[in-house]
Amino acid sequence: MPQNIITKSPLAALGYGFIKDTYLPKGKDEYYLRNKQNRNGITYRQLTAYEIEMLVRNGNTSDNWNHLLVSDAFNPELVKNCKFFGLVRIGKLEPLCLSFSDLQTPVGLYNSTIISCDFGDNVVINNVEYLSHYIIGNEVIIVNVNELVTTNHAKFGNGIVKEGELEDVRIWMEVCNENTGRRVMPFNGMLPGDAFLWSRFKNDNALQEKFKAFTEDRFDNKRGYYGKIGDRTVIKNCKIIKDVWVGTDAYFKGANKLKNLTVNSGEEGQTQIGEGCEIVNGIIGFGCRIFYGVKAVRFIMASHSQLKYGARLINSYLGNNATISCCEVLNSLIFPAHEQHHNNSFLCAALVMGQSNIAAGATIGSNHNSRGADGEIIMGRGFWPGLCVSLKHNSRFASFTILAKGDYPAELDIPFPFSLVSNDVHNDRLNIMPGYWFLYNMYALARNAWKYVDRDKRTERIQHLEYDYLAPDTINEMFHALHLLETATGNAYYKVHHPQKTVTQEDARTTGKQLLHGDPKLVNQLEITIEGVENSKRKTILTKVTQAYTLFTDLIYYYGITQLLQLLKQQKAASLESFISSLPAKTVRTKWTNAGGQLIAADELQQLKERIKSGRIRSWDEVHDYYAALGGKYPQQKMNHALASLAEITGKPLRKIDNHVFNNLLNMVITTQEWITKAIYDSRAKDYNNPFRKMVYEDLAEMNEVIGKLEDNGFIKQQLASLEQFKKEVADIRKTYKLKP
């Protein structure tokens, strides 16, 4: 039996019957969808006898010259050596040369086989060996392409099926888990929050069915849609482009294979695809860059993200303003502001909550501890594994966890935010330093928060992305960390001083809290351990516990006080007493979820799910409207959370604040702001004072020339100015409400 099935049909059929009669609505012809898609406004006419003669003289052929339609400004001298099949419609052709970058080429159609296509005005089609079923905009340049074709069942990367197709042809994106259990149907316009919601709550069948219905309702299942290439798009030196929808002003050069894609491009951001890329079954957002040997399959790239230098992105969602270079990423859901630059890093079966940086040699997902597929890793925002880190699935990390170089032998569940985790091979134990970022790298922490805001290039900001390192999610983690530190300290104390005593966890926590507040010297003498953070029998040691405890407490105060002052500024209260009396009598610190980089309060998230299941929210667009509405409410909700946090950390209702307490809060927030600014400066200054950093330069002058002077650092200068402005605002508050410093 022959393996390749070659069918034969009459030559006269080439270019016709794009939609089989079975799938044609009654009274419609095969062009009914094409005519609806073509919105260029050009009025086409049939060729004159002179134009046909000129076309033949120029080496052109057509199966039927009556099916070659042109605009009134058509110039047959600009069409040479082309073969036309089916209905082809051509717009204005003028004796012009179109230039883009270093490419200059005359307007017209040359040396190409063209089947059933529509062209806008002043296009360049040159040496396109097979161009079939496309609608091409104005001033488009397409040169040296082997195959540019659309099939009648094209889906352009969306997870839908067409009439007559079996369910098993549907494209799913298998994020977060290799076992496909968290798979989602990709669609153009899918936001990180959509992918997150759909990939979680898999036990809620009603919700899952709604998500599937939303996606299917977003498209119709009719066969016969043409591919589109938007105005001013340039495509050169590419091999295979099949079932690809392209926006305006895109630029493709040297791609090997592009198949089943939507490529968004236009005023919101110009998208480029470069040399050697092979990209299949995906959605590419506005302003994306894909260059140099990239392989991407079953994926979504949100707007203004980048794939470069041989990166592999498979079954994954890459969030906005993210960059992946050189490495391999599989089955992952990545929130906005992710960085991964190194050829030998590997990321698999992960939920990465943004503001993350994966270093060289990181192996996150490697089947070390199972005969089956990898489990899952959940990484809070700000996750940063150091060089040559190897992790086991399943693992989970609090926000802004950094891991020191090492092969971590067991699964981890790190509940301490801003911590440094290290594998102490010599002593066979795990070390955790809570609050590491505040102690040793405040510059990077603060600058990154500023950088992500500055680099957010989204024009349509449906989801409000939180980049501040002090926000409801991290503050909640700090509260949890305080409780854990108190309990661990109490247990360590009783182990040394009362080893025979049976102690409840509540007793341990009470004692630990007393020690951390009243006797830090004693705490520093204890070996403080914690259980349940590593799936092993070896010790887990907590270091610098008193410093972390003080830092977390001070920063919770700082978070609450700054929001309290913001509220005071908004209300412009006549007196401090009236402002205090207007504060909530009762506050409750709420739970929050990071849904695609947008922090959503737990009750709002539950309400969203219930509205979807009840039918009050009926589409993805309405889900997106809900995100936008939450974004508008977020500043007030964050303020409410901060006030509740302040009440909880002080241990008294906000209405119990008097002038004396308020004045102390002002002193505290100034002290913390000064400390933050100094820590930013000091952590950056280390790079200038460290002799091992300085030794590669001839002298200080060369060092300053290469990396810039410390005193010229724009971010530090900005922070110093912000500190002075903040002090002035506090002084104004004191003056207004007659408070003495």
Side-chain angles (χ1 to χ4, degrees), residues 74 124 135 188 243 299 321 539 566:
F74 173 72
V124 174
I135 298 171
N188 188 29
D243 291 348
F299 70 97
N321 307 302
K539 284 183 181 179
Q566 182 66 26

mmCIF file of all heavy atoms in Angstrom, residues 74 124 135 188 243 299 321 539 566:
data_model
loop_
_atom_site.group_PDB
_atom_site.id
_atom_site.type_symbol
_atom_site.label_atom_id
_atom_site.label_comp_id
_atom_site.label_asym_id
_atom_site.label_seq_id
_atom_site.Cartn_x
_atom_site.Cartn_y
_atom_site.Cartn_z
ATOM 1 N N PHE A 74 -4.903 50.025 -11.975
ATOM 2 C CA PHE A 74 -4.053 48.856 -12.225
ATOM 3 C C PHE A 74 -3.111 49.124 -13.404
ATOM 4 O O PHE A 74 -3.515 49.684 -14.424
ATOM 5 C CB PHE A 74 -4.938 47.652 -12.535
ATOM 6 C CG PHE A 74 -4.186 46.428 -12.974
ATOM 7 C CD1 PHE A 74 -3.438 45.693 -12.078
ATOM 8 C CD2 PHE A 74 -4.231 46.012 -14.309
ATOM 9 C CE1 PHE A 74 -2.760 44.550 -12.488
ATOM 10 C CE2 PHE A 74 -3.551 44.883 -14.731
ATOM 11 C CZ PHE A 74 -2.815 44.158 -13.816
ATOM 12 N N VAL A 124 4.062 44.598 -3.192
ATOM 13 C CA VAL A 124 5.185 43.943 -3.858
ATOM 14 C C VAL A 124 5.077 42.451 -3.579
ATOM 15 O O VAL A 124 5.131 42.020 -2.425
ATOM 16 C CB VAL A 124 6.538 44.471 -3.345
ATOM 17 C CG1 VAL A 124 7.679 43.665 -3.952
ATOM 18 C CG2 VAL A 124 6.702 45.944 -3.648
ATOM 19 N N ILE A 135 -5.635 37.427 1.950
ATOM 20 C CA ILE A 135 -6.059 38.801 1.735
ATOM 21 C C ILE A 135 -4.913 39.678 2.219
ATOM 22 O O ILE A 135 -4.555 39.651 3.401
ATOM 23 C CB ILE A 135 -7.357 39.121 2.495
ATOM 24 C CG1 ILE A 135 -8.493 38.224 1.980
ATOM 25 C CG2 ILE A 135 -7.729 40.589 2.349
ATOM 26 C CD1 ILE A 135 -9.757 38.299 2.813
ATOM 27 N N ASN A 188 -6.732 34.096 20.821
ATOM 28 C CA ASN A 188 -6.194 35.430 20.624
ATOM 29 C C ASN A 188 -6.829 36.387 21.624
ATOM 30 O O ASN A 188 -8.054 36.496 21.708
ATOM 31 C CB ASN A 188 -6.473 35.900 19.195
ATOM 32 C CG ASN A 188 -5.775 37.200 18.867
ATOM 33 O OD1 ASN A 188 -4.725 37.505 19.420
ATOM 34 N ND2 ASN A 188 -6.355 37.974 17.968
ATOM 35 N N ASP A 243 -1.384 29.100 7.224
ATOM 36 C CA ASP A 243 -2.459 29.394 8.181
ATOM 37 C C ASP A 243 -2.007 30.413 9.229
ATOM 38 O O ASP A 243 -2.131 30.205 10.436
ATOM 39 C CB ASP A 243 -2.937 28.111 8.876
ATOM 40 C CG ASP A 243 -3.667 27.173 7.930
ATOM 41 O OD1 ASP A 243 -4.000 27.602 6.818
ATOM 42 O OD2 ASP A 243 -3.901 26.007 8.297
ATOM 43 N N PHE A 299 1.779 27.624 22.149
ATOM 44 C CA PHE A 299 2.240 28.659 23.066
ATOM 45 C C PHE A 299 1.417 29.929 22.871
ATOM 46 O O PHE A 299 0.735 30.102 21.862
ATOM 47 C CB PHE A 299 3.716 28.979 22.786
ATOM 48 C CG PHE A 299 3.920 29.689 21.477
ATOM 49 C CD1 PHE A 299 4.038 31.072 21.431
ATOM 50 C CD2 PHE A 299 3.945 28.990 20.275
ATOM 51 C CE1 PHE A 299 4.193 31.734 20.211
ATOM 52 C CE2 PHE A 299 4.097 29.637 19.066
ATOM 53 C CZ PHE A 299 4.223 31.016 19.036
ATOM 54 N N ASN A 321 6.008 41.711 28.585
ATOM 55 C CA ASN A 321 7.284 42.336 28.958
ATOM 56 C C ASN A 321 8.270 41.319 29.524
ATOM 57 O O ASN A 321 9.003 41.606 30.477
ATOM 58 C CB ASN A 321 7.052 43.460 29.985
ATOM 59 C CG ASN A 321 6.024 44.465 29.519
ATOM 60 O OD1 ASN A 321 6.162 45.082 28.474
ATOM 61 N ND2 ASN A 321 4.954 44.619 30.288
ATOM 62 N N LYS A 539 18.202 18.660 58.956
ATOM 63 C CA LYS A 539 17.789 19.910 59.579
ATOM 64 C C LYS A 539 17.556 21.004 58.542
ATOM 65 O O LYS A 539 18.241 21.069 57.528
ATOM 66 C CB LYS A 539 18.865 20.408 60.549
ATOM 67 C CG LYS A 539 18.945 19.673 61.869
ATOM 68 C CD LYS A 539 20.016 20.345 62.738
ATOM 69 C CE LYS A 539 20.150 19.629 64.081
ATOM 70 N NZ LYS A 539 21.199 20.269 64.915
ATOM 71 N N GLN A 566 -1.516 58.356 52.943
ATOM 72 C CA GLN A 566 -2.148 58.597 51.646
ATOM 73 C C GLN A 566 -3.638 58.895 51.824
ATOM 74 O O GLN A 566 -4.194 59.788 51.171
ATOM 75 C CB GLN A 566 -1.954 57.371 50.744
ATOM 76 C CG GLN A 566 -2.529 57.493 49.346
ATOM 77 C CD GLN A 566 -1.819 58.544 48.514
ATOM 78 O OE1 GLN A 566 -0.661 58.863 48.741
ATOM 79 N NE2 GLN A 566 -2.508 59.101 47.533
#
